Amino acid sequence: MIYPTARAVYLIAAAAPVALLIGVLLPGGWVIALAWVAVVLVLIIADALLTPPLRRGEFVVAAEGAVDVGDMVDLSPAYERSGQRIAAEFAADVSAPLEPAEPSGVGLRYVAVRRGRAVIRRLWARRRGPLGFAWRQVSREADLPIVVTPDLRPVREQGMRQYLRSNQQGLRMRLDSGDGSEFQALTDFQPGMERRSIDWKASARHFALLAREYRTERDNAIVFAVDSGRAMCDPVGGVPRVDRAVSAALLAAFVALKSGDRVRLYSFAARPQVDSGTQAGTRSFAELHRSAAEIDYLAEESNYTLSLVTLDRKLERRSLIVLFTEFTDPTSAELMMTAAARLLKRHRVLFVLFEDVELEAIRTARPEHGDDVVRANVAHTLLRERRIVIERLKRLGIDVIEARPDDLPLALVERYVGMKERA
């Protein structure tokens, strides 16, 4: 395709005021402006003919297929024909979650602002003619996906610091032997062991104090179910709850895979959304990471009944279901508890909730005006209703974790390790 450059457009546009001025000073002389336009049109056509056409070529994009949130994506497109690159200027139509970065003069740079799947829908290449009056342009449908995955670097660094700290204190994040529920062997009772581990019958037979030693069970089934509905899309600490939930779930999933357990990532809102299937072994963590990028932000109410019943039907064995969710009123919490109670018939359920730091700040802030007192009372009422729901969940036999947003990933890992050892 042939398009005029900005220079040609300005020259044609300049013909209108010139024609008006000539028409005022010299009636009948406005025809000169028409001749001016004709000359510019001829120059455009001549410049287009002097420019080699951009046909029978292919676009080449150097962007990676998967990036982390916050990373810079440089498409660096090129146009090649017969193995040779043709100098040209480029443009691209890229969908969210990629947004244009500051212009750098090299390539096409975008920033991954959130998780999701971006698509490079179309690419354009153009080159200017030697006279500067015309562009030769070509475009192609690209349909190239770029998966934006959660950024685990902050959580991974925090987890490594915690692991090193536990080693310095003589602690272990996971005990392969000495705890758990699977009997391993009898050993001599040592100071510091729990008295309940003593096997009195064996001790009587051997005339020595013996204790039972257990080992942590492996090959357990863990399901990380992430609610991606309207309530989970609200930010807490400046980051959407669903993003924090995904990061915490992936960190716990990696620990579970390293421990020999089977892991499944599942998300839902008004209906089931993403299901990674059961994964085993640390090599399958990449599949969980890619599945996490598909968890979308949905402005719709979560249907716990449909989503959790669907999950229950997919599970063939008893599992630990770790449910990341949020509730805003007692009515939605009632539906949530009813659906969770059904899961307790076959599975063990762990609810993961973020502390509402904003409501806590409003409740504890020193009031300056009368409106501050009203807001503090409303925040206190909402927090009280929240505590009531949490206590009801615990009475149903559901484990609950409620932690500050930045502390939740490690709190979840520690709770999982504790539940695994005391299974």
Side-chain angles (χ1 to χ4, degrees):
M1 298 292 292
I2 300 173
Y3 296 94
T5 62
R7 178 189 301 177
V9 173
Y10 291 149
L11 289 176
I12 293 177
V18 172
L20 179 61
L21 179 62
I22 294 177
V24 172
L25 299 177
L26 182 63
W30 61 270
V31 180
I32 299 175
L34 292 179
W36 174 268
V37 173
V39 171
V40 174
L41 292 176
V42 170
L43 290 175
I44 292 174
I45 296 174
D47 197 18
L49 294 176
L50 293 174
T51 306
L54 292 172
R55 293 198 301 265
R56 296 182 297 276
E58 296 293 337
F59 283 95
V60 178
V61 179
E64 299 180 0
V67 297
D68 289 337
V69 174
D71 285 354
M72 189 72 66
V73 180
D74 192 349
L75 299 185
S76 299
Y79 193 75
E80 295 183 354
R81 182 169 55 199
S82 301
Q84 296 182 349
R85 292 198 170 189
I86 300 175
E89 296 181 10
F90 297 94
D93 180 15
V94 181
S95 65
L98 295 182
E99 293 185 357
E102 294 295 331
S104 61
V106 179
L108 297 174
R109 296 172 65 85
Y110 295 84
V111 178
V113 296
R114 61 176 178 84
R115 293 177 302 99
R117 178 184 290 270
V119 179
I120 304 174
R121 293 187 284 247
R122 179 173 285 272
L123 292 169
W124 288 267
R126 67 178 186 178
R127 62 190 305 179
R128 192 190 333 227
L131 303 178
F133 284 92
W135 292 102
R136 283 276 194 171
Q137 180 172 297
V138 65
S139 67
R140 295 283 191 279
E141 291 283 349
D143 196 24
L144 298 175
I146 297 179
V147 178
V148 182
T149 57
D151 186 8
L152 297 180
R153 286 170 292 191
V155 177
R156 188 184 303 117
E157 293 171 1
Q158 186 180 12
M160 183 58 67
R161 289 196 298 267
Q162 179 70 15
Y163 177 74
L164 293 176
R165 189 181 304 115
S166 67
N167 282 343
Q168 292 172 359
Q169 296 175 354
L171 301 177
R172 289 179 293 175
M173 296 186 66
R174 180 174 62 83
L175 302 176
D176 284 329
S177 63
D179 276 314
S181 60
E182 187 175 343
F183 176 76
Q184 181 176 356
L186 288 173
T187 184
D188 292 332
F189 183 81
Q190 302 293 334
M193 289 185 175
E194 294 185 6
R195 292 184 178 180
R196 64 178 182 177
S197 64
I198 298 176
D199 190 327
W200 297 104
K201 292 183 178 180
S203 300
R205 287 195 302 268
H206 293 82
F207 300 99
L209 201 57
L210 301 178
R212 288 174 176 257
E213 189 177 74
Y214 298 88
R215 62 185 176 187
T216 304
E217 290 183 346
R218 294 176 178 269
D219 198 33
N220 297 307
I222 316 296
V223 180
F224 295 95
V226 179
D227 176 7
S228 60
R230 179 182 58 82
M232 285 291 287
C233 292
D234 291 337
V236 56
V239 180
R241 285 182 171 86
V242 63
D243 284 337
R244 293 186 179 274
V246 167
S247 297
L250 289 177
L251 178 62
F254 182 77
V255 175
L257 291 173
K258 291 285 287 183
S259 301
D261 290 339
R262 297 176 178 269
V263 175
R264 188 181 198 129
L265 184 63
Y266 179 81
S267 74
F268 65 92
R271 58 188 59 84
Q273 183 187 5
V274 174
D275 187 1
S276 68
T278 302
Q279 306 293 330
T282 53
R283 292 184 178 181
S284 62
F285 181 74
E287 179 62 29
L288 295 175
H289 202 192
R290 285 190 293 268
S291 298
E294 302 290 337
I295 301 177
D296 203 354
Y297 309 81
L298 300 174
E300 55 190 24
E301 293 293 337
S302 300
N303 189 333
Y304 295 99
T305 303
L306 172 62
S307 303
L308 296 184
V309 167
T310 302
L311 174 61
D312 189 20
R313 290 176 178 174
K314 291 182 178 182
L315 300 178
E316 299 179 354
R317 55 183 292 192
R318 179 177 172 82
S319 307
L320 169 62
I321 299 177
V322 182
L323 179 59
F324 298 83
T325 187
E326 184 59 50
F327 50 88
T328 56
D329 57 85
T331 302
S332 61
E334 201 65 47
L335 298 173
M336 177 185 69
M337 288 187 290
T338 302
R342 296 192 184 97
L343 291 178
L344 286 175
K345 297 178 180 179
R346 292 183 56 206
H347 311 285
R348 187 171 183 180
V349 181
L350 171 63
F351 267 64
V352 181
L353 303 173
F354 294 96
E355 285 188 8
D356 201 324
V357 293
E358 296 179 356
L359 285 180
E360 288 286 354
I362 294 173
R363 185 176 66 88
T364 58
R366 181 177 180 179
E368 300 290 344
H369 307 283
D371 292 342
D372 296 337
V373 177
V374 175
R375 282 193 288 268
N377 287 330
V378 173
H380 176 74
T381 301
L382 293 175
L383 290 173
R384 182 171 58 85
E385 291 179 351
R386 182 183 182 88
R387 298 310 310 173
I388 292 174
V389 173
I390 292 175
E391 289 301 323
R392 292 185 60 188
L393 288 172
K394 292 180 178 179
R395 290 186 179 184
L396 287 174
I398 297 174
D399 297 309
V400 179
I401 294 180
E402 187 181 22
R404 298 183 65 85
D406 295 334
D407 301 334
L408 185 69
L410 288 180
L412 175 60
V413 172
E414 292 174 358
R415 177 64 69 86
Y416 158 73
V417 172
M419 294 175 66
K420 184 178 177 66
E421 293 174 353
R422 296 190 304 268

